[in-house]
Amino acid sequence: SSAWKHASASMLGKNLKWRANFPLRIWYGMDPFDFFFACKEKYGDVFTFILLGRRVTVCLGTKGNEFILNGKLKDVNAEEIYTGLTTPVFGEGVVYDCPNAKLMEQKKFVKFGLTMEAFQSYVDLISSETQSFVAKGKPFHGDSGTIDIVPAMAELTIYTASRSLQGPEVRAKFDSTFADLYHDLDMGFSPINFMLSWFPLPHNRKRDIAQKKMADTYMEIIKARRAAGGKRDKGEEDMIWNLMACVYKDGTPVPDKEVAHMMIALLMAGQHSSSSTSSWILLRLATRPDIQEELLDEQKRVLGEDLPPLTYDNLQKLTLNAKVVKETLRIHAPIHSILRKVKSPLTIVANTPEATNTYQIPTTHTLMSAPGVTSREPEFFPEPMKWEPHRWDEGHPLAYTRLGTDQEEFEDYGYGMISKGASSPYLPFGAGRHRCIGEQFAYVQLGTVLATMVRHVKFRQIEGKQLVPTDYSSLFSRPMAPAVVEFEKRKSVKEKN
Ligand code: HEM
């Protein structure tokens, strides 16, 4: 039977019988996971629905992840889906506004710029930004009180990313003009822009002005660096310096404008994903004071009672710290749906509840992958909705069932050997040629923020309150606002103030 048969399960209500069987809350846009699991139960791993006028075929399960994320270039395409949304925000000539081969080169430049030396300098910068945010930042007013986690983490993520990856000039501008520009630019990611990104709506006009101003600012920074001799000081590691020195395979140095646009792309890509994840980390920790104490004990045990300054090397030794990040990304990965355009007719075999079916997927369809579904399957993660960092320990009753046995496969898509890894049920960073290159940076940033926070603050759920639900209304999921918890600074910080 063809996948199109299931398109009658339209979200637009063509098939009322289908709708009548399910409450409205399972609408994809409101709770994609409820929707995915309900459809999976009824139709199996492959089904089609209509989203914003497009026929979208969802392929779930580890096979579905593999099918879409490792799809061949001639079969599936990302840029045709994303460019309308991303090009006005990032600017021309980068990411999805260029052929895939050029994106692969750009990813190589970024990946190779994230060197060990760079990470070593970033840990220090990120922990000092975090400490000063806890000591002096507005959201942490007083020695104890309540804090609205989502805006607080958005602010801290901008400071930490700009101070490290983006460089000192950009960090300084976030104390003044950049915050407003960033906000205007970010409006370009409103979901309505999947259809109307070219339309001169007020938020799109503001987006275009902000894009130009931001790109000009980056280009001025580049010019000023060149005018000052074009040499970085020792220990001065940031992505602008790295990209300024990069040359495409055909011998063309990366033009300043493209450096600027890539820097905007990195700012936007990192901001939402990291700030959503760090928010969830703190919200989850607020429900588990025992884990907060365990994290602090781990630091004392592994690094020493006097808690020496964090470094890249000692961060690697904090295994529970990393597991907290890992477990948070299992349930709260910020990107819940990954889209591709179908370029040639495709065939996929999948099980329905009754039979094994072969589906023909025509080129009029869009593919949707949702690896967050496999990371919520009880088959792999017992009691999957329970947040438990220790399930990544061997022998834990809720341990990940394939712990240590996931076969990693590597491939070079033009930007170094990277994990194809789509056979794993755990893929918060995607897989294949479009896989994230920010994973290591994200782990350094999130791990450093977490380890620093644990030293200086305790978080607690407000009595009688529950963990907030997820807000799926934007392209990146995040905790539903307001997400308020209690904080209490530890003695060490109070004394320093
Ligand atoms: C791609 C997740 C942080 C830069 C991706 C993809 C995912 C992802 C799922 C694949 C998208 C697709 O296949 O269409 C995450 C998560 C992050 C994170 C969960 C943090 C917790 C970052 C950071 C940066 C970054 C910090 C920049 C420094 C990129 C880039 C791509 C990408 C450049 C490639 C897009 C492509 O090739 O099409 N990320 N990301 N990400 N990410 Fe991340």
Side-chain angles (χ1 to χ4, degrees), residues 82 96 103 107 270 273 277 334-335 338 340 428-430 434 436-438:
Y82 295 134
Y96 303 121
L103 169 61
K107 287 176 81 168
S273 41
T277 308
I335 297 179
I338 293 175
R340 299 284 185 264
F429 295 96
H434 289 285
C436 188
I437 34 138

Side-chain angles (χ1 to χ4, degrees), residues 285 287-305 307 317-324 387-393 396 450-451 453-455 457-459 490:
L285 283 181
T287 69
R288 292 287 300 272
D290 59 319
I291 301 276
Q292 295 179 52
E293 295 311 313
E294 250 190 275
L295 286 168
L296 190 59
D297 287 347
E298 176 178 71
Q299 291 195 42
K300 288 183 177 163
R301 193 180 68 248
V302 176
L303 311 179
E305 278 294 323
L307 296 175
K317 298 180 194 149
L318 303 177
T319 51
L320 181 61
N321 203 72
K323 284 172 187 170
V324 165
W387 183 84
E388 180 46 75
H390 286 294
R391 72 167 73 240
W392 298 94
D393 300 345
H396 190 272
L450 169 59
M453 282 285 178
V454 161
R455 288 182 180 196
V457 206
K458 289 189 268 191
F459 296 94
R490 291 187 193 262

Side-chain angles (χ1 to χ4, degrees), residues 143 455-458 488-497:
D143 287 340
R455 288 182 180 196
H456 297 301
V457 206
K458 289 189 268 191
E488 185 189 340
K489 292 183 188 171
R490 291 187 193 262
K491 210 160 148 260
S492 56
V493 192
K494 288 187 200 167
E495 278 165 3
K496 273 189 200 149
N497 286 347

Side-chain angles (χ1 to χ4, degrees), residues 69 78-79 82 95-96 100 103-104 106-107 110 114 161 165-166 239 262 265-278 325 329 332-340 371 415 427-443 445-446 476:
L69 300 177
E79 56 270 26
Y82 295 134
V95 191
Y96 303 121
N100 185 266
L103 169 61
M104 296 299 109
Q106 292 172 346
K107 287 176 81 168
V110 175
L114 293 169
L165 196 68
Q166 297 271 329
M239 196 48 73
M262 271 194 254
L266 295 179
L267 182 70
M268 307 306 279
Q271 177 61 23
H272 288 283
S273 41
S274 289
S275 79
S276 164
T277 308
S278 57
V325 177
L329 283 169
H332 299 294
I335 297 179
H336 56 77
S337 302
I338 293 175
L339 298 171
R340 299 284 185 264
Y415 58 102
L427 299 172
F429 295 96
R433 69 175 57 246
H434 289 285
R435 193 183 195 286
C436 188
I437 34 138
E439 173 174 4
Q440 277 174 302
F441 178 79
Y443 261 88
Q445 187 185 26
L446 294 165
F476 296 84

Side-chain angles (χ1 to χ4, degrees), residues 370-396:
V373 171
T374 44
S375 71
R376 290 165 178 227
E377 294 280 10
E379 176 192 350
F380 305 118
F381 301 97
E383 295 183 46
M385 295 319 289
K386 191 163 177 192
W387 183 84
E388 180 46 75
H390 286 294
R391 72 167 73 240
W392 298 94
D393 300 345
E394 230 164 284
H396 190 272

